Amino acid sequence: MLSTNILRRQVAATLLAGAGVTALAAPAAAAGSSSGTIGVSLNVTNACVVNGATQVQSNVGSVGDIAFADQPGIFGDVDSQLVGTLGALQVQCSPGVTPQLTIGGGANDSSGRRRMAVNGQYLAYRLFSDAARTSELSIGANIALGTATTAPISVPIYARTTSAGAVLAAGRYTDTVQITLTW
C-alpha cells in the first residue's frame, strides 16, 4: 500500500510538471522590434606640442640646452646650438595651423643683450636662426614656423659667444631664455 501511495505521488508530480512544461512551451505572442541610432561626436581644437609630447602643456619645461665647450679665461668666437631630446627643437601642430615661436631675453639680459652670469660676472651671447650665424634672434624675436602639416617642424637655434678680448673670471656661466609658442 505504501508503494502504491508513493507511485500515485510520483505520477501526480510527473503530470503536474508536464502540465507546467506544456504551459511554458506554448507559442508566445508575436514580438515587435524598434531601432534607433546613437550620435557620437568629438570637437577637436587646434593644438601644438613640443619635442614629441603626447598632450598639450601650458608649461613644457626645458626644451633643450645650449652648452658651449669649456674655454680658457680669454677666447675668440665659440659656437654652439640648441640640443633637445629630439635634437633640434621640434614643434608639431594641427594641420593648417600657423605656429609662431617667440624667443625671450633671458634671466640676465641688459640693454637688449642676452648675457650668461656667474657670481655677478657677465658674458654676452647671441642667438641665431641659421648655422652661418647671420640671422640674429633679437630679444622678443618671433619665428614664423609656416603652415603646419602632420609632420614635426624642426626649429634649430644656434648660439655664439666671445670673451671679446677680456679675461673672464672662472666659473660656470648660465642663463635661462623663455620661449613662447603661439598658434
Side-chain angles (χ1 to χ4, degrees):
M1 171 111 153
L2 184 59
S3 67
T4 306
N5 284 340
I6 293 174
L7 185 58
R8 280 186 195 160
R9 286 184 191 160
Q10 287 177 345
V11 169
T14 303
L15 288 175
L16 286 174
V21 169
T22 304
L24 292 175
S33 68
S34 293
S35 62
T37 61
I38 297 173
V40 178
S41 66
L42 169 67
N43 185 36
V44 176
T45 60
N46 287 327
C48 290
V49 294
V50 176
N51 288 346
T54 58
Q55 64 185 13
V56 175
Q57 300 167 308
S58 61
N59 182 351
V60 298
S62 176
V63 297
D65 293 302
I66 298 173
F68 292 100
D70 292 352
Q71 300 296 314
I74 187 169
F75 56 91
D77 287 349
V78 177
D79 294 337
S80 189
Q81 71 184 66
L82 174 68
V83 177
T85 56
L86 300 175
L89 172 66
Q90 291 197 10
V91 174
Q92 191 166 11
C93 297
S94 299
V97 169
T98 53
Q100 185 171 325
L101 189 66
T102 303
I103 311 296
N108 303 301
D109 68 277
S110 177
S111 301
R113 297 181 64 189
R114 292 183 180 92
R115 303 181 307 171
M116 295 177 277
V118 63
N119 298 326
Q121 301 295 311
Y122 297 96
L123 174 60
Y125 68 95
R126 300 180 332 181
L127 299 178
F128 301 88
S129 61
D130 64 320
R133 290 160 178 83
T134 57
S135 297
E136 186 168 359
L137 296 169
S138 60
I139 293 175
N142 294 314
I143 303 172
L145 303 180
T147 301
T149 64
T150 56
I153 302 165
S154 182
V155 187
I157 297 177
Y158 302 91
R160 175 171 284 161
T161 190
T162 181
S163 71
V167 178
L168 302 173
R172 184 170 188 262
Y173 289 76
T174 63
D175 193 22
T176 303
V177 176
Q178 182 72 37
I179 63 168
T180 303
L181 178 65
T182 55
W183 61 90

